[in-house]
Amino acid sequence: ERPSFAWGDVQPFVERHFFGAVELVKSLPSERDLNFLVKLDEELAVFKVHNPTDLQDFVECQCLALEHVAQHGACCQRLLRSKSKEFLIALELEGHRRCMCRALSFLPGRMLAEVAQEMAESGERLAQLFDAVGTAVGQVTAALLTFEHAAAEREFVWDLQRCSQVVDAHISDVEEDNRALLQRVLQCQMVELRNLLPRLRRSIVHNDPNDYNLVVNGGQVGVLDFGDMVHSYTCADAAIGMAYLLFHVPSSMPLVEGVLPFVQGFHRACPLEEVEVEALFGLAVCRVCTSLCMSAHQSKLEPDNEYLLISAKPAWRLLTRVDSEK
């Protein structure tokens, strides 16, 4: 359950520990946490109140990863330390569960999902955008190659290494009309992947460069939200980034051809091994299948949440397209 604080509850804490006088600009959307966009003098910052179920060592892992990645020149938010030079402080208010809090710089720009949608008709501009996205995501993956933290060694449903288990666990939640399509497409990719997966490198990865975690500002792309980090396939970020870009490939162009600029941009920033390149498309499809099964499972838990079914529609269209292009 998300923290239930209002800004009025949090503001005195923020001003005492972090910034002095601040002004709330707006609340930012988040499924699990509270994110407040605040103004300090001329600068904008994000104050994040973590979900009370977040383990402190994993939140610390995210903070250290952000610092590490920033030092390697990737375009991400910067951690803003408190007045006492800490990057993490616990917020404890009567009647509320204890939550970890931190402050981050604000990355200006627009969500990749919106920008890609607008550019869908212009193949050339889309290729430039996809290349920039690949470079941004690749810089993060490359920086994390030299990052280690025990908290990232965890069991996590969104880890691509667990795709088959997650699909097996939740395939019964998928509507019967669609079940055969998902199983057929996934089976086809798993045949291709079977001999590749044991040969893939593993490292800590961002694990969620989806089109709402990527911010486009002019020609630069920034990467948000390290909350899904896990020790997994090194090429997972490339595969997951690709999965979300596949939604934006114009129907007039083959899917693989459409995402090629993304792979080239990623490869320049974080050179991929040949076996990783071979596995990318299959792993991207695995991510889409995981997402559809998790969405179907969530729909069973929240039958009144129509958004879950609406948001799954593009993914079903994509699977149909993958099935027809094979």
Side-chain angles (χ1 to χ4, degrees), residues 12 47-48 120 176 209 237 267:
F47 187 76
K48 180 184 271 290
E176 215 167 318
D237 287 344
H267 183 66

Side-chain angles (χ1 to χ4, degrees), residues 17-44:
H17 290 287
F18 281 89
F19 299 131
V22 292
E23 179 190 332
L24 177 67
V25 178
K26 63 177 179 178
S27 293
L28 299 171
S30 173
E31 282 177 35
R32 301 192 75 254
D33 312 316
L34 288 179
N35 291 313
F36 299 105
L37 181 62
V38 297
K39 189 171 187 219
L40 1 152
D41 300 325
E42 294 309 305
E43 197 184 350
L44 291 173

Side-chain angles (χ1 to χ4, degrees), residues 255-277:
L255 287 167
V256 173
E257 187 185 319
V259 291
L260 196 57
F262 166 78
V263 179
Q264 290 166 334
F266 187 97
H267 183 66
R268 275 199 311 275
C270 181
L272 290 160
E273 294 180 355
E274 193 175 329
V275 65
E276 292 170 329
V277 175

Side-chain angles (χ1 to χ4, degrees), residues 47-182:
F47 187 76
K48 180 184 271 290
V49 181
H50 278 270
N51 193 293
T53 61
D54 283 358
L55 299 172
Q56 184 168 339
D57 66 342
F58 185 66
V59 179
E60 284 174 359
C61 170
Q62 291 178 55
C63 292
L64 293 168
L66 255 184
E67 293 220 311
H68 181 84
V69 165
Q71 283 163 7
H72 284 73
C75 183
C76 300
Q77 290 169 287
R78 295 186 328 278
L79 274 176
L80 305 176
R81 290 178 181 262
S82 70
K83 292 175 183 176
S84 55
K85 301 290 181 250
E86 294 170 284
F87 51 62
L88 206 53
I89 298 184
L91 172 62
E92 301 184 71
L93 293 180
E94 203 174 322
H96 294 275
R97 291 174 68 187
R98 179 177 184 270
C99 294
M100 301 310 299
C101 297
R102 57 193 173 125
L104 302 147
S105 64
F106 175 68
L107 282 187
R110 295 169 63 212
M111 292 301 166
L112 171 63
E114 291 172 30
V115 179
Q117 199 71 43
E118 283 178 13
M119 287 189 185
E121 301 313 308
S122 167
E124 190 182 332
R125 288 176 69 214
L126 205 58
Q128 289 171 348
L129 175 66
F130 282 14
D131 185 291
V133 171
T135 301
V137 175
Q139 285 172 340
V140 172
T141 307
L144 289 174
L145 283 172
T146 53
F147 178 76
E148 291 180 9
H149 197 288
E153 304 269 358
R154 60 189 184 126
E155 279 211 359
F156 187 44
V157 290
W158 292 102
D159 179 357
L160 278 174
Q161 295 178 110
R162 301 192 65 220
C163 171
S164 293
Q165 295 151 272
V166 173
V167 170
D168 288 348
H170 300 305
I171 190 72
S172 58
D173 294 326
V174 173
E175 286 181 6
E176 215 167 318
D177 296 352
N178 290 326
R179 211 176 290 166
L181 169 66
L182 190 148

Side-chain angles (χ1 to χ4, degrees), residues 205-256:
V205 289
H206 177 281
N207 203 48
D208 197 20
N210 73 61
D211 48 2
Y212 285 93
N213 278 340
L214 297 165
V215 177
V216 182
N217 188 24
Q220 190 168 44
V221 178
V223 183
L224 303 173
D225 193 356
F226 282 58
D228 277 5
M229 279 170 52
V230 69
H231 190 272
S232 187
Y233 303 127
T234 298
C235 64
D237 287 344
I240 293 164
M242 179 191 284
Y244 291 93
L245 294 187
L246 287 169
F247 292 113
H248 302 289
V249 174
S251 55
S252 58
M253 185 183 285
L255 287 167
V256 173

